[in-house]
C-alpha cells in the first residue's frame, strides 16, 4: 500500500488521512492497547457480523464442473489434514506528514500500525463464534503466542486449521526503530522477510497485509525517505529497485511447492504485482486490490479470505466473502482461484 493511506472511523464515517491529534484521540476512544488496535478490532467485528449470515457451500450442490474445480483447489490443501494459513504483517507505517500524539504521548510522524493489527487479529481469532463465521473459536498454541489452532469441518472432513501471524515493527515509533532499537528492528525485518519467503514455499495460504510501496513491496522494513525529508523515496528506491517484489518472486520460484492461495492485501496490488506473480506461480490463486484504498478494505478482505478457506468456500461464495461491503465489491478481486 502506498503511503496515501487512509484510516476509516466507522462511527462517524470520517477519513483520518489528514487528521489532527484531537481527531485521533476522539477516534481511538478509550483504547488502552496499542495504537490503532481498537480501530482494527472494530473493523474486524463489523465484517465478521456480515459473514455470520453467509451460508457455507456444500460442494454436492454445485454443478459437476464447478464441483470438480472446487475440489481440485482444496485437494492439495487438505491432503495432509492441516490447513496451514500464514499472515505476514508488513512494516505498516502511517506517514501523516505531521506528528501524531495521543494522551500526551508523541508517536512521531510515522507510527506503525502492524502491532495494533496483530493484537486485533489475535482477539478476533480467539473470540467466540457466532452464526456461520469461522474467523473465530481458535485457541492460542502452547508453542507460540503467534500461532492459533482449531478444528474445522471442510467438505465433510475434519481438519486442523492453523493460523500463524507475525508483525514487522519493533515498536510503534519510527524514530526508535531507526535509533535505539535499530539492531532489533533489522533482525525483525530479516526474520519477517525469511518468514514470508518460507510461507510462500510451505504454507497452504499466505496473506501479506501492508504497503505496496508503489511496487517496491511487500515490505517488512522501516520506510526509506528522500534525504532528511518525510517523503518516501519511491522513484529512487522502491519503484527503481523493487526490493520486496524481487524477493517474493525469488521465493515463489525457488521451492518445490507454492502456496495454493496468496492474498496481497495492499494498495493497487493487482497493478503492481499480479502479472509477474501469476507467471511465477500459475497455479496459485491470488487476491488483490485495484486502487489506493482505505485500510479497512484490504484488512476486511483478508479476514473474508481466511474465513472462506476455513469453510472450504467455492467460486461465487469465496468471491462474496472477500467482497461483503460496497467498497470491497468495487476494489477487491481474485484471479486463478477457480478458473
Amino acid at each position: 500500500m502506498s503511503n496515501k493511506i487512509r484510516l476509516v472511523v466507522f462511527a462517524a464515517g470520517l477519513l483520518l488521512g489528514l487528521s489532527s491529534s484531537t481527531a485521533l484521540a476522539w477516534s481511538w476512544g478509550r483504547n488502552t492497547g496499542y495504537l490503532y488496535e481498537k480501530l482494527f478490532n472494530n473493523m474486524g467485528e463489523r465484517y465478521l457480523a456480515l459473514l455470520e449470515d453467509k451460508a457455507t457451500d456444500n460442494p454436492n450442490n454445485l454443478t459437476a464442473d464447478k464441483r470438480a474445480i472446487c475440489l481440485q483447489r482444496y485437494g492439495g490443501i487438505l491432503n495432509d489434514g492441516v490447513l496451514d494459513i500464514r499472515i505476514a504483517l508488513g512494516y505498516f507505517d502511517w506517514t501523516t506528514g505531521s506528528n501524531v500524539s495521543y494522551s500526551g504521548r508523541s508517536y512521531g510522524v510515522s507510527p506503525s500500525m502492524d502491532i495494533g493489527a496483530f493484537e486485533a487479529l489475535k482477539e478476533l481469532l480467539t473470540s467466540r463464534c457466532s452464526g456461520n463465521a469461522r474467523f473465530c473459536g481458535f485457541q492460542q498454541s502452547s508453542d507460540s503466542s503467534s500461532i492459533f489452532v482449531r478444528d474445522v469441518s471442510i467438505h465433510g472432513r475434519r481438519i486442523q486449521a492453523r493460523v500463524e501471524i507475525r508483525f514487522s515493527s519493533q515498536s510503534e515509533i519510527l524514530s526508535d526503530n531507526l535509533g535505539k532499537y535499530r539492531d532489533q528492528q533489522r533482525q525483525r525485518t530479516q526474520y519477517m522477510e525469511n518468514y514470508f519467503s518460507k510461507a510462500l514455499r510451505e504454507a497452504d495460504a499466505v496473506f501479506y497485509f501492508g504497503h505496496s510501496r508503489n511496487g517496491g513491496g511487500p515490505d517488512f522494513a522501516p520506510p526509506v525517505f528522500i534525504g532528511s525529508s518525510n517523503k518516501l523515496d519511491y522513484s529512487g528506491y522502491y519503484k527503481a529497485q523493487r526490493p520486496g517484489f524481487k524477493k517474493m518472486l525469488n521465493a515463489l520460484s525457488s521451492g518445490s511447492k507454492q502456496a495454493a492461495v496468496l492474498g496481497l492485501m495492499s494498495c493497487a496490488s493487482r497493478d503492481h504485482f499480479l502479472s509477474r506473480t501469476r507467471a511465477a506461480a500459475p497455479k496459485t490463486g491470488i487476491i488483490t486490490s485495484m486502487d489506493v484504498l482505505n485500510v479497512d478494505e484490504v484488512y476486511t478482505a483478508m479476514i473474508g479470505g481466511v474465513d472462506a478457506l476455513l469453510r472450504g468456500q467455492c467460486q461465487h461464495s469465496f468471491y462474496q466473502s472477500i467482497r461483503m461491503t460496497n467498497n470491497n465489491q468495487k476494489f477487491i478481486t481474485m484471479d486463478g482461484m477457480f478458473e
Side-chain angles (χ1 to χ4, degrees):
M1 185 171 294
S2 74
N3 275 20
K4 297 175 182 177
I5 192 81
R6 295 171 290 172
L7 270 172
V8 175
V9 182
F10 286 101
L14 298 177
L15 296 175
L16 292 186
L18 298 172
S19 57
S20 65
S21 58
T22 300
L24 284 167
W26 176 85
S27 70
W28 290 334
R30 296 183 179 179
N31 178 23
T32 57
Y34 289 98
L35 272 171
Y36 313 110
E37 179 183 345
K38 183 66 173 179
L39 283 176
F40 279 118
N41 192 61
N42 288 344
M43 294 174 194
E45 286 182 346
R46 289 174 181 272
Y47 204 77
L48 283 177
L50 299 176
L51 292 169
E52 288 173 6
D53 295 328
K54 180 171 173 51
T56 299
D57 269 351
N58 180 348
N60 292 330
N61 295 333
L62 300 175
T63 61
D65 56 336
K66 289 184 177 181
R67 181 169 61 252
I69 293 172
C70 181
L71 296 179
Q72 181 180 25
R73 167 56 68 196
Y74 283 97
I77 292 176
L78 304 180
N79 276 346
D80 62 356
V82 178
L83 173 55
D84 182 358
I85 301 172
R86 303 186 201 181
I87 299 174
L89 305 179
Y91 192 104
F92 210 166
D93 52 295
W94 180 29
T95 301
T96 66
S98 59
N99 185 68
V100 174
S101 298
Y102 176 57
S103 294
R105 181 185 180 189
S106 172
Y107 289 86
V109 295
S110 298
S112 292
M113 296 188 285
D114 48 291
I115 304 177
F118 169 81
E119 292 295 332
L121 289 168
K122 175 180 176 180
E123 184 173 347
L124 293 167
L125 277 173
T126 56
S127 64
R128 176 185 291 184
C129 289
S130 179
N132 296 321
R134 286 198 182 167
F135 195 94
C136 53
F138 281 78
Q139 297 291 322
Q140 184 173 291
S141 171
S142 59
D143 297 330
S144 172
S145 61
S146 298
I147 298 174
F148 308 88
V149 294
R150 66 164 290 189
D151 289 338
V152 293
S153 178
I154 299 178
H155 302 167
R157 296 177 56 185
R158 201 69 178 168
I159 300 293
Q160 183 190 70
R162 177 188 185 276
V163 177
E164 182 175 1
I165 313 171
R166 303 282 178 173
F167 59 89
S168 297
S169 297
Q170 181 63 27
S171 78
E172 297 171 289
I173 301 176
L174 175 63
S175 59
D176 287 348
N177 294 340
L178 297 177
K180 63 180 180 180
Y181 298 143
R182 179 183 61 184
D183 291 341
Q184 295 96 319
Q185 180 59 64
R186 287 177 177 173
Q187 292 171 8
R188 182 174 286 275
T189 294
Q190 184 62 61
Y191 173 84
M192 286 301 299
E193 290 176 349
N194 292 339
Y195 169 75
F196 185 58
S197 294
K198 187 176 181 181
L200 292 170
R201 296 191 299 266
E202 295 181 355
D204 297 313
V206 181
F207 290 85
Y208 166 74
F209 176 57
H211 287 302
S212 286
R213 301 291 195 209
N214 275 15
D219 189 32
F220 304 98
V224 174
F225 296 111
I226 300 173
S228 59
S229 72
N230 189 228
K231 297 180 179 180
L232 271 73
D233 190 0
Y234 290 122
S235 59
Y237 180 64
Y238 292 112
K239 292 177 69 174
Q241 299 187 29
R242 307 199 74 181
F245 189 41
K246 290 178 180 177
K247 291 173 184 175
M248 182 175 72
L249 292 178
N250 182 63
L252 287 169
S253 302
S254 62
S256 57
K257 176 185 173 182
Q258 295 173 331
V261 179
L262 172 59
L264 295 172
M265 317 315 296
S266 58
C267 281
S269 55
R270 183 180 178 85
D271 287 342
H272 289 311
F273 307 127
L274 181 64
S275 60
R276 291 181 62 187
T277 303
R278 288 278 287 144
K283 295 183 179 180
T284 297
I286 302 176
I287 303 170
T288 57
S289 73
M290 297 186 286
D291 206 341
V292 176
L293 304 180
N294 295 320
V295 174
D296 67 300
E297 287 145 15
V298 285
Y299 177 70
T300 57
M302 177 176 68
I303 291 174
V306 174
D307 187 87
L309 287 167
L310 293 169
R311 302 195 205 192
Q313 298 285 50
C314 302
Q315 288 92 343
H316 182 63
S317 291
F318 196 111
Y319 203 40
Q320 281 185 328
S321 294
I322 62 176
R323 292 157 54 91
M324 296 292 287
T325 63
N326 289 335
N327 278 347
N328 283 24
Q329 290 172 22
K330 295 176 184 176
F331 300 120
I332 303 298
T333 189
M334 66 184 187
D335 294 86
M337 280 289 292
F338 299 105
E339 287 88 324

